[in-house]
Amino acid sequence: MDYYLSPTHTQRFDLEIKNSQFITTVCRTNGRDAAKAFIEKMRQRYPDANHHCWAFIAGMPNNAHLWDQSDDGEPKGTAGKPMLNVLQHSNFGETTVVVTRFFGGVKLGAGGLVRAYSQAVQEALSQTEYENVYPRSPVQLKIAYSLLGKVEYWLEQSDIEITNKTYSDSIVIDLAVIERTWPEHKIALTDLCQGSLTLIEPDNE
């Protein structure tokens, strides 16, 4: 995947269906712990609500180990699963959605609940302000001290992130590279150093 979408900040969207109020809160969360912490925060923000149903994809969209959902007391399969289904088809990642429901006195039935929770998430995501997130891979670059200045300058002009530097007999720079653009950058970096560099990539280990 070239990129996925993720919210730029925490955002709230309101929906009313047959007197029930559905408050959908969308948040960027990286990892299960962050997702669970956000869900708990919503419980504390709306302590009088009848339900806090939730779903998250807390990493890249294709990483099923970071998917989860909960009906939070609604009939089984009527809230969390439909919410997660919408998320899975949205290309959002690192995203947690909590739908807080205040019951309005009119029962919606199982089918009505599925439609309501799906609609709440669909409408929220369609309005969510997001940014494109490009998956990155770790690469180590080893160069001589004499090359540091021009390599650092070149890296600052690129989309590559420097995550760490280690100084010893040579300089080891830890990089986070975008998978889509790395092959082209690798050629340019090799040319810049006239071949006087060592690259350690995950596939080479």
Side-chain angles (χ1 to χ4, degrees):
M1 114 186 14
D2 281 351
Y3 67 89
Y4 56 91
L5 315 178
S6 197
T8 56
H9 59 284
T10 302
Q11 298 161 63
R12 168 183 165 164
F13 306 92
D14 291 12
L15 180 67
E16 186 175 310
I17 300 175
K18 293 186 178 180
N19 298 329
S20 279
Q21 184 182 10
F22 293 83
I23 300 171
T24 304
T25 313
V26 183
C27 181
R28 185 170 185 168
T29 50
N30 190 354
R32 283 182 168 271
D33 290 346
K36 292 294 182 71
F38 172 67
I39 294 163
E40 184 57 33
K41 183 178 179 180
M42 290 302 100
R43 291 186 190 281
Q44 294 174 8
R45 179 170 297 177
Y46 305 107
D48 300 330
N50 299 90
H51 305 280
H52 298 280
C53 303
W54 53 265
F56 63 70
I57 295 177
M60 291 173 56
N62 58 3
N63 185 354
H65 296 292
L66 293 176
W67 300 351
D68 208 347
Q69 51 82 21
S70 170
D71 297 311
D72 192 43
E74 294 281 30
K76 186 176 180 181
T78 61
K81 191 172 181 179
M83 290 169 61
L84 181 59
N85 185 56
V86 173
L87 262 182
Q88 288 169 329
H89 290 86
S90 69
N91 198 33
F92 270 80
E94 296 180 37
T95 302
T96 299
V97 179
V98 178
V99 178
T100 301
R101 183 188 182 194
F102 289 88
F103 181 55
V106 179
K107 291 187 176 181
L108 302 181
L113 287 171
V114 170
R115 288 190 294 274
Y117 281 100
S118 297
Q119 181 184 347
V121 177
Q122 284 170 345
E123 291 194 8
L125 292 180
S126 72
Q127 300 173 69
T128 294
E129 295 180 21
Y130 63 84
E131 64 182 358
N132 296 342
V133 179
Y134 294 87
R136 292 180 179 269
S137 297
V139 171
Q140 271 196 343
L141 167 64
K142 188 176 181 180
I143 56 172
Y145 278 81
S146 59
L147 293 171
L148 180 60
K150 67 178 183 180
V151 167
E152 281 187 322
Y153 179 78
W154 185 89
L155 289 171
E156 286 170 3
Q157 314 306 311
S158 74
D159 58 19
I160 297 173
E161 292 180 0
I162 298 174
T163 58
N164 191 43
K165 291 178 193 169
T166 305
Y167 299 90
S168 55
D169 55 331
S170 58
I171 301 170
V172 177
I173 306 175
D174 292 317
L175 308 174
V177 303
I178 295 175
E179 297 165 5
R180 180 173 58 90
T181 58
W182 172 238
E184 181 181 339
H185 286 337
K186 180 179 177 179
I187 292 170
L189 196 53
T190 302
D191 289 345
L192 179 72
C193 297
Q194 298 180 324
S196 298
L197 80 171
T198 302
L199 289 170
I200 304 171
E201 304 176 62
D203 291 342
N204 296 339
E205 291 178 355

